Amino acid sequence: MISRHKIRELAVQSLFSIETTQDTPQDAISSTMQLCDLTSEAVPDYLTFLVSGVVEHQDDLDKKISEHLKNKWTVQRLSRIDRSILRVGLFEMENSLEVPRKVAIDEAIEMAGDFGDKDSKSFINGILSNFVEG
């Protein structure tokens, strides 16, 4: 069984791949699972939910993210990995009933530390924290 944390990582990697290769979500998920040596595992439903959901709602997610960028920055100017992490984090915060928003943010921050540059963790935290009420 693949952990939720690993599923989120696979989702970010799949979305990064989609931006790079223009693959379909299913092809990107298959490729990512193969690269991570998980071909013996069934594709988790939650992975399909995250990747397909982000792809389907990408314009809306980008619009919401862009409202919190400073100095006329655009979502397209962000690094592909930060963009993918933000999209997964925000999508999960807004659409997963079983995951508290704080957990989604913490997971996104952890992935930013693993995959992003030295400033990614504080940047991801700063943007996603705008979406928590109170």
Side-chain angles (χ1 to χ4, degrees), residues 53-65:
V54 168
V55 169
E56 187 177 324
H57 298 283
Q58 184 172 309
D59 291 343
D60 183 50
L61 294 168
D62 287 357
K63 183 175 177 281
K64 290 176 181 175
I65 292 165

Side-chain angles (χ1 to χ4, degrees), residues 53-96:
V54 168
V55 169
E56 187 177 324
H57 298 283
Q58 184 172 309
D59 291 343
D60 183 50
L61 294 168
D62 287 357
K63 183 175 177 281
K64 290 176 181 175
I65 292 165
S66 70
E67 291 168 3
H68 297 283
L69 298 176
K70 293 180 172 52
N71 302 328
K72 298 186 180 166
W73 268 72
T74 64
V75 172
Q76 290 309 312
R77 279 185 66 189
L78 303 176
S79 74
R80 271 187 299 198
I81 197 68
D82 285 354
R83 203 166 40 231
S84 296
I85 293 169
L86 281 169
R87 288 171 178 159
V88 168
L90 182 55
F91 179 79
E92 187 171 34
M93 289 169 69
E94 292 186 338
N95 297 282
S96 179

